[in-house]
């Protein structure tokens, strides 16, 4: 699985946090990997799970940063897809030293093009530019 595909899986699993309690995420993770569409090797599953868990641990800090940078757009007003993409990218920008900021932004825009609405890519790019 490529890095882009792994990031996409992370996005899909992280998206579930919007509809489930944090305590339910272990069960949601099991359901996620049972789905044929989300099939991954054991090593990839562990990598995906670890990153999602690290993001969830930093969620309050990530959301606080988003609320500070995205003037006029509180996280509770953002579309769930855009918010999930932003959370992943902001985590990578602020906390993941292995991912260059430019790569995090570019990959977030690509996710927005694939999963978001017509205006999602521009919105995500605009918000993340304030972190660069």
């Amino acid at each position: 699985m490529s890095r882009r595909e792994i990031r996409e899986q992370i996005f899909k699993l992280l998206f579930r946090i919007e509809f489930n309690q944090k305590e339910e995420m272990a069960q949601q993770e099991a359901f996620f990997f049972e789905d044929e569409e989300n099939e991954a090797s054991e090593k990839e599953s562990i990598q995906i799970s670890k990153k999602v868990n690290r993001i969830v641990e930093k969620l309050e800090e990530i959301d606080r940063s988003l609320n500070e940078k995205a003037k006029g757009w509180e996280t509770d007003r953002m579309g769930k897809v855009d918010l999930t993409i932003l959370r992943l990218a902001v985590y990578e920008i602020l906390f993941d030293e292995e991912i260059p900021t430019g790569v995090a932004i570019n990959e977030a825009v690509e996710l927005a093009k694939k999963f978001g609405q017509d205006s999602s890519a521009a919105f995500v790019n605009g918000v993340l530019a304030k972190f660069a």
Side-chain angles (χ1 to χ4, degrees):
M1 194 178 286
S2 71
R3 288 183 184 190
R4 181 169 280 179
E5 290 169 327
I6 289 173
R7 184 177 277 106
E8 191 173 303
Q9 297 294 60
I10 292 166
F11 159 75
K12 288 178 183 178
L13 183 55
L14 186 61
F15 184 71
R16 292 179 179 219
I17 194 82
E18 289 302 314
F19 305 99
N20 298 281
Q21 299 296 321
K22 288 181 184 177
E23 301 80 38
E24 298 171 343
M25 285 307 290
Q27 184 179 23
Q28 286 299 314
E29 187 176 304
F31 292 148
F32 179 81
F33 288 115
E34 286 175 7
D35 188 340
E36 268 183 43
E37 182 180 310
N38 302 322
E39 196 172 329
S41 71
E42 185 175 343
K43 181 181 175 186
E44 292 164 342
S45 297
I46 291 168
Q47 181 182 2
I48 292 164
S49 296
K50 281 183 177 181
K51 189 156 186 178
V52 168
N53 288 327
R54 287 192 304 262
I55 294 168
V56 170
E57 287 172 9
K58 300 278 190 187
L59 216 50
E60 286 182 32
E61 195 172 340
I62 291 167
D63 284 357
R64 193 169 34 256
S65 294
L66 280 167
N67 286 328
E68 288 171 9
K69 301 277 187 185
K71 300 291 183 205
W73 281 96
E74 297 293 313
T75 52
D76 59 350
R77 287 189 54 223
M78 294 178 187
K80 302 300 184 204
V81 170
D82 295 349
L83 177 58
T84 303
I85 293 168
L86 288 167
R87 284 173 168 167
L88 172 55
V90 169
Y91 173 82
E92 290 180 341
I93 291 167
L94 298 179
F95 304 106
D96 192 335
E97 295 177 7
E98 294 179 18
I99 311 288
T101 299
V103 171
I105 293 171
N106 183 56
E107 291 294 327
V109 170
E110 291 303 316
L111 283 171
K113 288 177 183 175
K114 185 170 184 176
F115 294 103
Q117 299 175 359
D118 290 340
S119 61
S120 292
F123 176 71
V124 166
N125 191 46
V127 171
L128 293 178
K130 295 177 181 178
F131 284 88

